[in-house]
Amino acid sequence: MFQRMNKLVIQLPEVEYGDTNAVVAVQELLGGKFGVMTLFNNYMYQSFNFHGKVKLKPFYDLVASLTAEKIGHVELVATAINLLKKEGIPQGAPIQNTKNLSDIKSFITTAQTASPRDAMGLPWTSENINTSGNLVLDLQNNFFLECGARTQYMRVYEMTNHPVARELIAFLLVRGTAHIVAFAKAIEMATGVSIYKMLPIPNLEHKVIEETRKYEDLGLGYTLFTWNEIGDYTDITKIWKGKHPISGDQLIVKEGVPEESGMIPNLEDIPEGFAPGFGLEDFHAIAKRLLAKG
């Protein structure tokens, strides 16, 4: 089971303006082939379907703990999209700037909020899930998924200078790189083959991006979390150990969740999107019913 906390995994900047063009690109990071929905669902179903959980517990613990982390990343990217969709012109057609976007459907059907679609507006599909039942094959799939995601983070970073998008991408880069290393170590543990010698990708250096440095300073580049407080999933220490292959930092496993977190923003009414669609009298009536006893 999962435990939910009313927090974001990081604090996103509070900005008064959006960027509809950036939304299109960031949607790919949510619902694209290498988006966080694909990462989350791969790890979740691999953990559900894992054979030999006792015999191969360190590998099960890895995909199970990353499942919990990735659902938080889905929430984070969706929240960033909601903030990026803060767009509007006081008079005339308030959301007219969206009509030429490739994902115009999301502005029509979701009232300027996130949706499980890619940058072209195509819906996310379960065809992106690989749960073969073969441990090594699944680990290799996960490694390439994280590499593909990281490449797209870098590209989208260069497409927008919006503070929300860049903060989001900086965090995803640091955590995604840690997950690349985790799966590379898991493959080496399972096969005895160093993936860095066999396939020396990707270039893991991302400190040229200024926004990533604070997350590296927090240790997020060399720390994995169990995402629970009761001693489960701690066998990832049998995989996540030794030194980071690039930075040389000691790899650390921490029980629980990261100490740093952010607040989930309160999305204001969007009159031009008819959301939530209640007038003042309706709001007072709802408040009265909520406060009523019994």
Side-chain angles (χ1 to χ4, degrees):
M1 68 180 69
F2 298 92
Q3 182 179 21
R4 182 162 186 168
M5 294 174 289
N6 192 31
K7 294 181 180 179
L8 288 177
V9 67
I10 63 167
Q11 183 68 50
L12 291 173
E14 295 185 14
V15 182
E16 292 299 321
Y17 63 95
D19 184 344
T20 51
N21 288 308
V23 165
V24 178
V26 177
Q27 272 289 161
E28 187 69 22
L29 305 185
L30 177 64
K33 181 178 180 180
F34 296 100
V36 290
M37 285 191 61
T38 295
L39 299 172
F40 161 61
N41 277 287
N42 267 270
Y43 306 157
M44 180 172 67
Y45 279 94
Q46 286 174 16
S47 69
F48 290 165
N49 301 336
F50 202 101
H51 292 273
K53 289 184 176 72
V54 175
K55 182 172 64 175
L56 299 171
K57 189 172 184 296
F59 301 99
Y60 168 70
D61 283 5
L62 178 63
V63 294
S65 61
L66 289 186
T67 296
E69 177 167 357
K70 289 298 182 183
I71 193 171
H73 292 186
V74 173
E75 180 182 41
L76 181 67
V77 177
T79 302
I81 290 170
N82 290 337
L83 296 176
L84 287 166
K85 282 190 172 182
K86 282 185 177 180
E87 199 76 18
I89 303 172
Q91 67 282 342
I95 50 177
Q96 62 178 302
N97 290 339
T98 68
K99 63 180 179 292
N100 295 320
L101 299 177
S102 61
D103 72 335
I104 185 174
K105 184 175 182 179
S106 71
F107 282 86
I108 296 173
T109 62
T110 68
Q112 296 172 237
T113 51
S115 59
R117 299 186 176 100
D118 65 12
M120 298 302 293
L122 299 174
W124 184 84
T125 170
S126 60
E127 291 296 318
N128 293 333
I129 295 177
N130 182 74
T131 172
S132 70
N134 182 291
L135 175 63
V136 174
L137 183 57
D138 285 350
L139 291 175
Q140 288 177 333
N141 174 75
N142 298 348
F143 175 81
F144 282 112
L145 280 177
E146 291 285 0
C147 289
R150 187 180 189 282
T151 301
Q152 294 191 355
Y153 300 155
M154 300 287 280
R155 290 172 181 164
V156 174
Y157 180 88
E158 298 294 350
M159 292 179 178
T160 175
N161 59 5
H162 195 282
V164 170
R166 289 204 155 184
E167 193 72 23
L168 166 74
I169 292 168
F171 171 77
L172 293 177
L173 271 172
V174 174
R175 291 308 289 161
T177 301
H179 298 162
I180 290 172
V181 175
F183 284 121
K185 292 181 74 66
I187 292 169
E188 183 173 4
M189 187 70 67
T191 65
V193 177
S194 172
I195 199 163
Y196 299 111
K197 296 178 181 178
M198 179 185 74
L199 200 64
I201 61 171
N203 177 0
L204 295 176
E205 181 54 63
H206 52 242
K207 291 184 180 179
V208 293
I209 294 178
E210 181 179 353
E211 292 92 342
T212 66
R213 295 172 192 165
K214 68 179 179 181
Y215 297 115
E216 289 288 357
D217 291 342
L218 289 170
L220 296 183
Y222 55 83
T223 305
L224 290 186
F225 301 89
T226 62
W227 297 93
N228 74 91
E229 306 285 357
I230 58 175
D232 288 335
Y233 312 121
T234 55
D235 273 2
I236 55 177
T237 56
K238 295 179 180 178
I239 295 173
W240 192 250
K241 60 184 179 180
K243 302 286 187 180
H244 192 286
I246 302 299
S247 68
D249 291 309
Q250 182 67 41
L251 301 179
I252 298 172
V253 173
K254 289 186 177 180
E255 290 196 62
V257 300
E259 295 178 2
E260 300 289 329
S261 62
M263 301 301 296
I264 295 179
N266 178 46
L267 301 179
E268 300 294 339
D269 292 353
I270 306 176
E272 66 271 21
F274 303 96
F278 286 99
L280 184 60
E281 291 184 2
D282 299 305
F283 176 78
H284 286 312
I286 292 171
K288 184 177 181 180
R289 288 194 291 271
L290 287 173
L291 294 173
K293 296 181 180 179

